[in-house]
Amino acid sequence: MKKMRFSIYRYDPDKDAKPYMQDYEVEIGPNDVKLLDVIVKLKTMDDTLSFRRSCREGICGSDAMNINGKNGLACITDIADLQEPITLRPLPGLPVIRDLIVDMTQFFKQYHSIKPYVINDSPRPERERLQSPEDRKELDGLYECILCACCSTSCPSFWWNPDKFVGPAGLLAAYRFIADTRDEATSERLDNLEDPYRLFRCHTIMNCVDVCPKGLNPTKAIGKIKDLMVRRAV
Amino acid sequence: MGVPVRRFDAVIVGGGGAGLRAALQLSESGLKTAVLSKVFPTRSHTVAAQGGISASLGNVQEDHWEWHMYDTVKGSDWLGDQDAIEFMCRKAPEAVIELEHFGMPFDRLENGKIYQRPFGGHTQNNGQTPVQRACAAADRTGHAMLHTLYQRNVRANTQFFVEWMALDLIRDAEGDVVGVTALEMETGEVFILHAKAVLFATGGAGRIYAASTNAFINTGDGLGMCVRAGIPLEDMEFWQFHPTGVAGAGVLITEGVRGEGGILLNANGERFMERYAPNLKDLAPRDFVARSMEQEVLEGRGCGPNKDYVLLKLDHLGPDIIKQRLPGIREIAIKFAGVDPIKEPIPVIPTCHYMMGGIPTNYRGEVVIPKGDNAESRVNGFFAAGECACASVHGANRLGTNSLLDLVVFGKSAGDSMVEYIKNEMPTWKDLPADAADRSLARIARLDGQTNGEEVADVRTAMQRTVQARAAVFRNADNLSKGVTEIQQVAERVKRTQIKDKSKVFNTARVEALELENLIEVAVATLIAADARKESRGAHAHADFPNRDDEVWMKHSLYYGDERRLSYKPVHTKPLSVDYIPPKERTF
């Protein structure tokens, strides 16, 4: 059986004065296909190793981490594609609670700040609100976000100003509601982002696009919001 | 006792579809409500549902809730309660329209209405021809629904306790529910949440099986808490095997693939479902298709080097349909099966997917248990909804897309019942018993102090292998009785589990050990209830008793964990407004 080497960020505030990297060697069996399979196996060897995980199929967004320097989901990362030693660190830029578990409060605060729900105060019709397939298509590439935070925590602008810059995930969501024909609050949403930081700290570095495990493009969505801002200014 | 107490009008345990839908009723009624979730709400397993949510909107073809009801009763193999089934199917259209109004991004038809696709067991005219009843957001319907419900709760200012794990149900001397104990995972602190009403929306427990479509978090926490608190579990012998889990990986491939026209092939390239279900073919209900697939494999017509799976072919749908309607499936097939379904078929096997049984409730979401002559006496202050509950709308076999519907219909209904109960019957809090937190503290102290014990992962694997081997698609008396003995041996080992991690902060080893204590209750209940049922019905296919026996067995089982015994209660045969649908032979 093949062995693989790992170097994993460890920090338990209960006993460690500061974080350190711990080396592991693991035998890779025929069922160890994804990175998460191997981390779960590692945990049977060392139950103190702490990380989040749930669906193991890339839809819940729990197991985002920094894998060999790049953010991704452990459950859909093929172990065979990774160079050794496989270095695992928590998502950058957020406070570490323990090992690979980060405090995502700031990330969700930004998501909540864009009012992530359809605003429509017209009286509710008896049936569904109609939407053409073309209008619905505008939501593709936006609604599929799983809030894993790979994008925002790979964004230098978010690292410097996590309290002021909404970040790619939040802005993708903002555009998801702007683009929805059923939403009536576009102008309020643009007002909410009209600020030197909230939207305009995006400098199109495009790390977000590079890391998104769902293949989404927050930079493009941000560009569309910027266009709308400009258009309403003239 | 030193355990901090926090007080709410209502506590909801679980932040998936049912918990979030119930939370809206409570938050919007102005009651002080806490929603506890082991994971951030959008990570709940509802997110993984794919194919759709059923409602007789009739957007594509004529449809009626009565037809939906008939299909659900027949799908349940006449174990479902017909009052609850009528309630759900009647409410379905308004529940789906409400989700649309909340902003759920359904796919659309040319006329702008919600897109609907065919699904297993959905028919017109009581079984005649397939009908398009499954309302879909591509093949990410659960994701779209869960995020929409979370978003709506953000709007309603619902108070979430994220990464809190409920540990035990608190009942007072009269048996009424007055709260839960819970572990704040980040700090490792235990709290008492004192409440006038508690809702369990804790989801499924598919992780009792070795191969399951379920997430790691699906550990039957609500069921374990019920067993420890003396509340019975209903119909635990019935587990759904989804026909199309990716062979080897277990990851789900939606029935929507077959709804869109995908077909199952054996090693001879034969579309074998035509033989088993001449009318509905690949769109027969799941128990039926799963058995047919297993039969093909048993008779040597499986595919692959070990002839142990069949193929799901969809390349004939063309790249456009696949990319538009089944993009998530393509992603999963490429990542987990190594095939692009635009070109190649996906290797699939029946995989444990859904728990039909659960905490006994009525269609109002009230937990009901036998007391004296009353088979269904209300447990004051206690409610349940979603997969952890047994209303029972799914009976012995659930129809695809009825699970998401169950979440929103019964989540709302339970939320309404809680508001009513709190406002009309519970002006103030009942006293907490003096020993409210003792059981939970003892469980944690046991883990902290355990030495020379068993590894959690080893015991969990032993449990999963036992359940997988003894309570599979095809069952028999010998296998089941061995399973009953073996699983009780595993249960003894669970009492001696040991963790090395003694830290307080985000101790996931402790969480997994506590989860195993819940899983094992579900596993024991499953084997004991399955061993006792001497007939074949729905998902319970018993080789020694191959026929359904309505005379003796048209009844719900109730499992009591304290003595590991069973009792039974009648199936509800009176719908709310329509005529009873009498049992008949189940062919497709």
Side-chain angles (χ1 to χ4, degrees):
Chain A
M1 232 184 272
K2 196 186 160 207
K3 283 190 172 182
M4 280 188 110
R5 285 174 301 125
F6 281 76
S7 173
I8 303 182
Y9 180 101
R10 301 300 312 269
Y11 175 62
D12 176 358
D14 260 6
K15 54 188 206 326
D16 303 324
K18 57 177 194 207
Y20 62 98
M21 298 301 288
Q22 183 171 352
D23 294 336
Y24 291 94
E25 216 175 56
V26 208
E27 287 195 345
I28 306 293
N31 296 323
D32 300 322
V33 181
K34 303 295 176 191
L35 174 59
L36 182 64
D37 300 333
V38 184
I39 305 176
V40 166
K41 190 184 230 181
L42 264 176
K43 192 170 175 63
T44 66
M45 296 157 51
D46 174 3
D47 73 6
T48 66
L49 179 63
S50 307
F51 52 92
R52 295 186 175 106
R53 85 284 180 268
S54 183
C55 75
R56 60 82 169 86
E57 59 187 60
I59 192 70
C60 79
S62 298
D63 63 349
M65 56 185 71
N66 187 268
I67 305 159
N68 281 350
K70 187 175 169 182
N71 292 350
L73 300 179
C75 60
I76 52 171
T77 299
D78 277 319
I79 194 81
D81 294 344
L82 297 173
Q83 283 214 325
E84 294 180 70
I86 296 166
T87 305
L88 304 179
R89 294 173 182 274
L91 290 175
L94 294 176
V96 175
I97 296 173
R98 181 177 175 176
D99 295 349
L100 301 174
I101 299 172
V102 291
D103 179 351
M104 298 181 72
T105 308
Q106 195 62 56
F107 172 80
F108 288 121
K109 217 171 176 174
Q110 291 296 2
Y111 174 67
H112 294 155
S113 80
I114 62 96
K115 298 196 177 176
Y117 40 84
V118 162
I119 298 173
N120 184 324
D121 296 327
S122 312
R124 275 198 197 173
E126 217 166 275
R127 291 287 306 226
E128 64 262 58
R129 293 196 162 101
L130 300 181
Q131 187 173 50
S132 71
E134 295 70 40
D135 286 341
R136 166 60 184 76
K137 219 173 167 50
E138 293 297 314
L139 307 183
D140 285 345
L142 304 171
Y143 82 94
E144 303 93 325
C145 173
I146 58 173
L147 298 175
C148 65
C150 280
C151 60
S152 293
T153 62
S154 70
C155 173
S157 299
F158 191 76
W159 295 339
W160 310 142
N161 297 106
D163 53 335
K164 293 183 193 148
F165 174 50
V166 172
L171 290 169
L172 184 86
Y175 187 65
R176 176 249 175 274
F177 292 100
I178 290 170
D180 196 322
T181 51
R182 298 169 297 175
D183 188 271
E184 295 175 336
T186 295
S187 121
E188 184 191 321
R189 293 184 188 281
L190 293 178
D191 292 346
N192 178 290
L193 299 172
E194 184 91 70
D195 162 294
Y197 286 93
R198 285 180 61 73
L199 170 70
F200 290 103
R201 279 286 128 169
C202 169
H203 299 308
T204 59
I205 300 166
M206 298 193 53
N207 283 0
C208 54
V209 183
D210 191 37
V211 299
C212 177
K214 304 309 285 182
L216 310 180
N217 190 332
T219 308
K220 192 169 148 198
I222 292 167
K224 288 189 172 176
I225 304 176
K226 285 179 177 170
D227 281 353
L228 288 172
M229 288 275 195
V230 174
R231 249 187 278 159
R232 78 164 182 172
V234 292
Chain B
M1 54 191 175
V3 176
V5 178
R6 299 178 76 162
R7 209 177 236 200
F8 299 90
D9 291 315
V11 167
I12 294 175
V13 183
L20 293 183
R21 186 62 198 81
L24 285 178
Q25 295 312 100
L26 289 151
S27 293
E28 286 170 0
S29 73
L31 293 169
K32 191 179 176 204
T33 305
V35 179
L36 271 60
S37 181
K38 282 200 292 192
V39 293
F40 185 77
T42 63
R43 318 216 188 283
S44 308
H45 198 52
T46 302
V47 79
Q50 298 173 350
I53 174 168
S54 51
S56 56
L57 296 178
N59 284 356
V60 183
Q61 298 129 342
E62 184 185 353
D63 201 5
H64 301 284
W65 68 260
E66 291 90 343
W67 293 350
H68 185 183
M69 177 178 174
Y70 178 88
D71 290 340
T72 304
V73 169
K74 184 177 175 186
S76 82
D77 217 349
W78 278 272
L79 192 70
D81 288 330
Q82 297 199 8
D83 51 349
I85 294 176
E86 176 182 336
F87 184 82
M88 180 177 79
C89 297
R90 277 177 77 164
K91 294 269 182 195
E94 72 177 67
V96 169
I97 296 296
E98 180 186 71
L99 287 168
E100 195 284 324
H101 290 169
F102 286 172
M104 184 163 159
F106 284 108
D107 284 6
R108 299 292 170 150
L109 296 160
E110 279 307 320
N111 61 13
K113 291 184 179 177
I114 293 170
Y115 169 74
Q116 298 187 278
R117 63 162 55 110
F119 237 78
H122 297 192
T123 70
Q124 280 180 318
N125 266 319
N126 303 344
Q128 302 264 304
T129 43
V131 69
Q132 292 179 242
R133 185 181 290 145
C135 310
D139 54 1
R140 306 185 180 102
T141 312
H143 170 279
M145 182 175 117
L146 186 65
H147 280 251
T148 301
L149 287 171
Y150 176 70
Q151 291 159 353
R152 191 75 182 178
N153 272 283
V154 171
R155 180 180 176 273
N157 267 319
T158 299
Q159 193 180 356
F160 288 103
F161 289 71
V162 174
E163 292 173 333
W164 281 55
M165 179 185 182
L167 298 175
D168 281 291
L169 191 63
I170 305 171
R171 298 178 77 187
D172 68 6
E174 291 166 302
D176 295 352
V177 167
V178 294
V180 292
T181 52
L183 173 74
E184 184 184 29
M185 286 158 65
E186 183 174 340
T187 61
E189 296 295 328
V190 174
F191 290 81
I192 289 173
L193 303 184
H194 189 191
K196 296 174 182 172
V198 171
L199 172 74
F200 274 9
T202 57
R207 287 273 159 177
I208 63 167
Y209 283 84
S212 165
T213 63
N214 283 199
F216 281 103
I217 56 169
N218 291 20
T219 54
D221 298 340
L223 281 73
M225 287 189 273
C226 279
V227 167
R228 287 192 293 277
I231 289 175
L233 305 180
E234 180 174 345
D235 290 342
M236 292 305 295
E237 58 271 48
F238 297 102
W239 285 84
Q240 176 161 84
F241 281 72
H242 195 292
T244 56
V246 172
V251 178
L252 174 70
I253 299 287
T254 176
E255 189 168 300
V257 170
R258 283 170 283 138
E260 295 289 345
I263 54 172
L264 293 164
L265 300 178
N266 63 19
N268 303 331
E270 180 203 7
R271 185 182 180 187
F272 57 87
M273 281 312 299
E274 288 179 329
R275 259 191 285 124
Y276 295 91
N279 188 21
L280 295 185
K281 303 186 178 80
D282 300 88
L283 286 176
R286 290 175 178 172
D287 59 330
F288 205 86
V289 178
R291 278 194 295 277
S292 309
M293 292 167 69
E294 291 270 324
Q295 196 62 36
E296 289 300 298
V297 169
L298 285 174
E299 291 174 13
R301 292 187 294 277
C303 306
N306 301 319
K307 294 175 171 285
D308 55 358
Y309 57 79
V310 302
L311 293 171
L312 176 61
K313 173 182 152 63
L314 61 156
D315 59 300
H316 56 284
L317 304 181
D320 292 346
I321 291 285
I322 293 174
K323 284 179 190 165
Q324 187 191 350
R325 301 287 184 211
L326 304 165
I329 286 313
R330 183 171 179 230
E331 198 178 316
I332 284 174
I334 290 171
K335 289 196 171 112
F336 288 94
V339 298
D340 183 347
I342 287 179
K343 298 178 204 135
E344 290 171 87
I346 310 171
V348 289
I349 46 166
T351 307
C352 171
H353 181 58
Y354 187 86
M355 174 176 79
M356 265 76 72
I359 305 163
T361 68
N362 55 25
Y363 67 87
R364 294 170 40 83
E366 298 164 331
V367 175
V368 288
I369 62 176
K371 197 174 178 185
D373 306 337
N374 184 357
E376 300 191 357
S377 160
R378 197 179 74 174
V379 179
N380 288 324
F382 193 28
F383 303 79
E387 187 171 344
C388 75
C390 184
S392 153
V393 282
H394 310 305
N397 171 65
R398 175 172 70 73
L399 288 190
T401 70
N402 268 352
S403 56
L404 290 187
L405 180 62
D406 172 352
L407 304 185
V408 285
V409 168
F410 293 107
K412 182 177 183 194
S413 167
D416 284 338
S417 299
M418 290 170 84
V419 172
E420 217 172 281
Y421 174 77
I422 292 167
K423 292 200 165 156
N424 299 339
E425 298 184 51
M426 273 285 130
T428 186
W429 288 264
K430 289 191 85 180
D431 289 338
L432 284 168
D435 61 355
D438 287 8
R439 184 188 292 122
S440 299
L441 295 177
R443 289 171 65 205
I444 287 181
R446 204 273 301 163
L447 276 173
D448 283 341
Q450 182 77 48
T451 49
N452 295 321
E454 295 238 29
E455 296 294 330
V456 172
D458 292 346
V459 182
R460 188 174 51 217
T461 302
M463 171 196 69
Q464 289 171 335
R465 286 195 179 143
T466 303
V467 179
Q468 189 79 28
R470 304 297 185 196
V473 171
F474 288 121
R475 301 166 173 189
N476 64 61
D478 180 49
N479 226 351
L480 287 168
S481 80
K482 280 181 183 143
V484 169
T485 310
E486 289 164 7
I487 202 68
Q488 297 193 80
Q489 288 163 354
V490 177
E492 288 306 304
R493 296 173 62 189
V494 173
K495 293 180 185 160
R496 301 191 304 270
T497 50
Q498 170 185 316
I499 52 174
K500 292 186 200 80
D501 189 348
K502 307 289 184 192
S503 180
K504 295 212 33 144
V505 176
F506 225 115
N507 186 329
T508 50
R510 173 184 290 160
V511 168
E512 287 186 29
L514 293 167
E515 287 174 335
L516 180 59
E517 295 180 1
N518 295 325
L519 281 168
I520 193 67
E521 301 291 359
V522 178
V524 173
T526 296
L527 277 151
I528 289 181
D531 180 52
R533 186 172 284 271
K534 315 284 189 215
E535 66 158 350
S536 290
R537 182 185 297 268
H540 181 67
H542 200 308
D544 302 295
F545 305 94
N547 300 316
R548 193 176 75 201
D549 179 357
D550 290 329
E551 199 71 31
V552 182
W553 286 105
M554 203 169 97
K555 57 188 180 185
H556 297 293
S557 69
L558 289 171
Y559 166 82
Y560 289 81
D562 43 2
E563 294 162 318
R564 294 192 178 153
R565 71 183 165 88
L566 293 166
S567 71
Y568 291 88
K569 68 171 183 177
V571 170
H572 295 194
T573 50
K574 284 200 185 66
L576 299 171
S577 72
V578 292
D579 289 340
Y580 174 54
I581 301 169
K584 57 178 208 176
E585 205 197 339
R586 200 162 155 261
T587 55
F588 299 97

